[in-house]
Amino acid sequence: MTARASMIVVGSGLAGMSAALEALYQTRHLPGVTVALLEKEERTGGNSAKASSGINGILTRTQKAQGIMDSVEAFSRDTERSGQGRSNTTLVSKLVQDSTESVAWLQQEFELDLDVLAQLGGHSAPRTHRRPEKNGKPQPVGWGI
């Protein structure tokens, strides 16, 4: 028997899981619509399960709770400087402008604990949201999905 799906999402990393969840949410009232998530690895998580650095965001509830002063301008400047003149300013703007909502969505929809902040290379403020360490090691965000 061949399985059929109305929508297929390829890859179960952060992007794939987010796309699958959004597809399910957007079609929840449509009878007969199904979403299939395909992953080539044995476990879900894709490269997001391997990346331990975190997710950058500004003006988030985590930054506010920790008294971190940050701004759209600073994040944009840091990102463009890291690109050494090769950054697409439209994409940088999209990344920065959507970062607050993106971190909040992950915290709400996946119930991810992203309350550890780090100031990683190229950033002028702590804005990399991470999961708490486990056994002294950073936990990849993808493991929490």
Side-chain angles (χ1 to χ4, degrees), residues 13-125:
L14 187 54
M17 287 287 204
S18 298
L21 182 64
E22 188 65 16
L24 286 169
Y25 177 76
Q26 293 294 331
T27 62
R28 68 190 181 282
H29 299 300
L30 301 175
V33 174
T34 58
V35 178
L37 180 65
L38 303 179
E39 172 58 52
K40 67 181 177 182
E41 302 292 336
E42 267 184 52
R43 304 174 104 178
T44 58
N47 285 332
S48 300
K50 300 170 189 169
S52 61
S53 62
I55 298 173
N56 297 316
I58 55 163
L59 309 174
T60 63
R61 72 176 190 210
T62 304
Q63 279 189 318
K64 290 175 185 174
Q66 295 182 26
I68 304 297
M69 301 299 291
D70 204 356
S71 69
V72 168
E73 296 78 20
F75 191 7
S76 296
R77 185 176 54 250
D78 293 346
T79 303
E80 290 177 11
R81 185 178 301 134
S82 293
Q84 299 177 338
R86 296 183 299 262
S87 299
N88 179 315
T89 56
T90 301
L91 295 178
V92 169
S93 179
K94 179 73 171 158
L95 166 76
V96 172
Q97 294 292 335
D98 291 356
S99 69
T100 308
E101 185 179 333
S102 296
V103 170
W105 186 81
L106 290 168
Q107 289 172 316
Q108 293 165 348
E109 295 300 322
F110 290 109
E111 298 179 2
L112 287 179
D113 180 357
L114 297 174
D115 293 336
V116 176
L117 287 174
Q119 183 173 336
L120 299 183
H123 294 286
S124 60

Side-chain angles (χ1 to χ4, degrees), residues 1-8 32-36:
M1 182 172 168
T2 304
R4 302 192 72 125
S6 304
M7 288 183 225
I8 298 173
V33 174
T34 58
V35 178

